[in-house]
Amino acid sequence: SAVISQKPSRDICQRGTSLTIQCQVDSQVTMMFWYRQQPGQSLTLIATANQGSEATYESGFVIDKFPISRPNLTFSTLTVSNMSPEDSSIYLCSVSGPAEQYFGPGTRLTVT
Amino acid sequence: KQEVTQIPAALSVPEGENLVLNCSFTDSAIYNLQWFRQDPGKGLTSLLLIQSSQREQTSGRLNASLDKSSGRSTLYIAASQPGDSATYLCAVLAYGFGNEKLTFGTGTRLTIIP
């Protein structure tokens, strides 16, 4: 199994600012995934991040709003840019294991 | 486009009862199906994973079944306990290498009444 940590665990940010969320995995993985869970909703995939290449974004998500870095096989960051209250969500990092997907504890973001 | 639905959206049962949570998906070309639990404000904990070639998986008081042809899965919880209270999510993995995208269901919020 993979152990995933995320920083920060939660934050309260002002409208118009940006927040960078870090995801660290205890083993090398090829693909890392970023999900968003808006209040009362299920999880939606934002993008897939492969080391050494540009992230692949899902429909409705763009790089200017959610830039992603993947500098090595154990680490990734997601930035939520120019935040608005609609960005208030839990953001989760995930990796694929040999048999299943594993999730980090999430970052709870509140935008005021 | 794959769509995953879970019924009911919320469920309350007395402690000790057995219960079934349902998950349906529209595209049967899946690689596997995974059940998760999510406690309020927390991340996801994987409960069971069923490969597309399997019919069911068991772990302790939990049993998950998969009928790929009909696009359905169930999660059976035996002898429910208050600690089982959480939101339960099912997710399907699309088939094919490089297309490892989980599509999540809408979730069932389960409350076990002591």
Side-chain angles (χ1 to χ4, degrees):
Chain A
S1 65
V3 177
I4 304 171
S5 59
Q6 286 185 233
K7 290 181 182 179
S9 58
R10 59 176 59 225
D11 207 342
I12 301 173
C13 300
Q14 291 196 345
R15 180 196 300 260
T17 63
S18 297
L19 176 71
T20 295
I21 302 168
Q22 299 179 7
C23 176
Q24 180 76 50
V25 189
D26 68 344
S27 57
Q28 294 185 340
V29 294
T30 303
M31 300 171 77
M32 296 178 76
F33 307 86
W34 286 98
Y35 287 83
R36 179 177 75 178
Q37 186 177 30
Q38 294 178 300
Q41 305 293 316
S42 192
L43 280 75
T44 301
L45 181 65
I46 298 171
T48 302
N50 289 331
Q51 193 269 337
S53 63
E54 293 280 337
T56 302
Y57 289 82
E58 297 298 305
S59 175
F61 298 96
V62 296
I63 188 171
D64 290 345
K65 176 67 176 177
F66 298 101
I68 289 172
S69 77
R70 183 78 201 275
N72 57 52
L73 291 174
T74 63
F75 188 79
S76 178
T77 67
L78 169 75
T79 298
V80 186
S81 303
N82 189 25
M83 288 184 284
S84 67
E86 292 71 34
D87 294 320
S88 297
S89 300
I90 298 175
Y91 291 86
L92 297 107
C93 171
S94 172
V95 302
S96 288
E100 61 187 86
Q101 281 197 263
Y102 303 94
F103 285 79
T107 295
R108 178 181 284 275
L109 170 62
T110 302
V111 183
T112 60
Chain B
K1 177 187 172 186
Q2 179 75 270
E3 292 183 3
V4 183
T5 305
Q6 291 183 245
I7 295 173
L11 179 66
S12 293
V13 300
E15 179 179 1
E17 285 199 1
N18 305 324
L19 59 100
V20 175
L21 307 180
N22 297 293
C23 171
S24 61
F25 47 95
T26 55
D27 186 347
S28 61
I30 64 169
Y31 190 66
N32 62 44
L33 182 145
Q34 204 165 346
W35 282 93
F36 297 89
R37 71 173 277 167
Q38 185 177 32
D39 294 285
K42 307 285 186 174
L44 276 66
T45 301
S46 179
L47 298 173
L48 288 165
L49 179 140
I50 310 177
Q51 299 291 351
S52 62
S53 58
Q54 297 176 318
R55 298 283 294 185
E56 64 179 316
Q57 283 286 335
T58 299
S59 176
R61 296 183 292 109
L62 305 180
N63 175 276
S65 69
L66 174 64
D67 185 341
K68 202 173 71 164
S69 61
S70 67
R72 297 182 185 217
S73 176
T74 61
L75 179 66
Y76 174 83
I77 302 177
S80 58
Q81 303 171 357
D84 295 330
S85 297
T87 296
Y88 289 79
L89 297 163
C90 70
V92 297
L93 188 66
Y95 185 82
F97 181 79
N99 190 20
E100 297 176 38
K101 183 174 83 170
L102 277 178
T103 301
F104 279 84
T106 46
T108 294
R109 188 170 68 251
L110 175 65
T111 302
I112 305 300
I113 305 166

